Amino acid sequence: MKIRKVELESVAAKPIQYPEEGLTEIALAGRSNVGKSSLINTLINRNNFARTSGQPGKTQTINFYNINGEFRIVDLPGYGYAKVSMTERQRWADMIEKYLTTRESLKEVVLLIDIRHEPGEHDKMMYDWIKSFGYKGYIIATKADKISKGQWQKHTSIIKKSLEVASTDLIIPFSAAKKLNVDKVWGTIESILELHEESIDEDDIQPEEE
C-alpha cells in the first residue's frame, strides 16, 4: 500500500473523544511494550510518528491513526503491566473494553505477541475475547529478529497451541528493527479492508421489486 498521508486523528481516553464513525478501523491489542507503536511506525515508514518507549505502560490512551483518509489503525493501551496501581490497570481495562464493545467502525482486532515468549494469561483472555466476537484471530509475532529464522516455526507453534489458533497461517512473525514481513502484514490489512468493502457492496444491493 502506498502511504500518502498519515494523521494522528485522535488521542482518546473516553468515547466522546473518538473520531466520527465511518472509516474502517483495525485495532492493535497486546501487552505493554510488545511493539504496537513500532509496528505502526514500520508500516507507515516513519520514525517515531507513533511514540515508542522503553518504559512499559506508556500508552494510556486509545490512539487513532488515519491512513490516507481511507481507514484507521487504532493503538490500544498495553495490558498486563504490573508496576501500576490496580486502580490504574482497571481504568485502562475499562477504556479498552468500552471501545471494543461499542465501536461500530471496528472491523478487526489484531493481537501482538512477543514471539520469544509463550503467551501469558492476559494474552489468552484477550485472544478468547477476540474470537468470541467473531474476529478472524490474526496474530503478529513481534521481535522476530531476536531469534533465528529457523526457530520461527517452533515459536509460532507454541503460540498456536497456547492460544488455540485455528491455523499458523494466521500468525505472522514480524520485526520492526529488521523490517521483516512488512509486506505480509500489509497484505493482511488489505485483505481485511477488501472484505469489509465487499460486505458494504453486498449491503448496497437492493432486491428487485416483483
Side-chain angles (χ1 to χ4, degrees):
M1 177 175 289
K2 184 176 181 179
I3 304 299
R4 300 184 301 275
K5 181 181 178 182
V6 181
E7 175 189 1
L8 177 55
E9 192 170 359
S10 181
V11 176
K14 48 191 175 182
I16 197 172
Q17 298 170 322
Y18 298 168
E20 282 188 27
E21 297 268 13
L23 292 183
T24 296
E25 292 175 358
I26 300 172
L28 304 179
R31 293 181 63 87
S32 297
N33 209 33
V34 75
K36 296 189 301 298
S37 297
S38 295
L39 170 64
I40 294 170
N41 287 329
T42 303
L43 291 175
I44 64 176
N45 198 28
R46 299 194 185 183
N47 294 327
N48 300 318
F49 189 88
R51 295 178 182 176
T52 60
S53 174
Q55 177 183 349
K58 189 71 173 179
T59 302
Q60 301 178 20
T61 53
I62 300 175
N63 298 336
F64 293 79
Y65 295 92
N66 186 313
I67 313 296
N68 293 341
E70 298 172 354
F71 69 99
R72 299 184 183 107
I73 293 177
V74 183
D75 186 8
L76 300 176
Y79 55 76
Y81 183 51
K83 294 184 180 179
V84 294
S85 68
M86 182 63 72
T87 301
E88 187 72 2
R89 273 185 280 168
Q90 187 60 50
R91 185 180 72 82
W92 296 355
D94 292 344
M95 186 193 312
I96 294 170
E97 183 178 8
K98 178 72 72 174
Y99 168 75
L100 293 176
T101 56
T102 64
R103 189 65 170 171
E104 294 181 4
S105 295
L106 177 63
K107 302 306 174 186
E108 190 62 67
V109 183
V110 178
L111 182 63
L112 275 67
I113 298 284
D114 187 327
I115 196 171
R116 300 171 296 177
H117 308 301
E118 183 174 350
E121 179 183 355
H122 291 95
D123 298 316
K124 293 175 184 177
M125 289 174 61
M126 177 56 75
Y127 197 70
D128 286 345
W129 186 95
I130 289 171
K131 293 296 292 179
S132 72
F133 274 78
Y135 295 113
K136 187 75 172 178
Y138 293 110
I139 292 174
I140 296 177
T142 63
K143 308 186 182 185
D145 60 299
K146 302 295 185 182
I147 60 175
S148 69
K149 193 170 183 178
Q151 291 290 306
W152 285 6
Q153 183 176 352
K154 173 186 174 183
H155 286 258
T156 54
S157 294
I158 291 171
I159 293 171
K160 179 181 183 292
K161 181 178 180 180
S162 179
L163 298 182
E164 299 180 3
V165 182
S167 169
T168 51
D169 291 340
L170 295 171
I171 305 173
I172 305 172
F174 172 83
S175 166
K178 301 293 186 182
K179 294 182 169 53
L180 300 173
N181 280 343
V182 176
D183 56 336
K184 287 189 177 182
V185 176
W186 267 124
T188 297
I189 291 173
E190 288 168 354
S191 69
I192 293 167
L193 296 174
E194 288 169 6
L195 181 64
H196 177 54
E197 287 172 2
E198 288 173 3
S199 69
I200 291 177
D201 292 342
E202 289 172 2
D203 291 342
D204 289 340
I205 298 173
Q206 301 296 323
E208 294 182 5
E209 295 183 3
E210 296 183 357

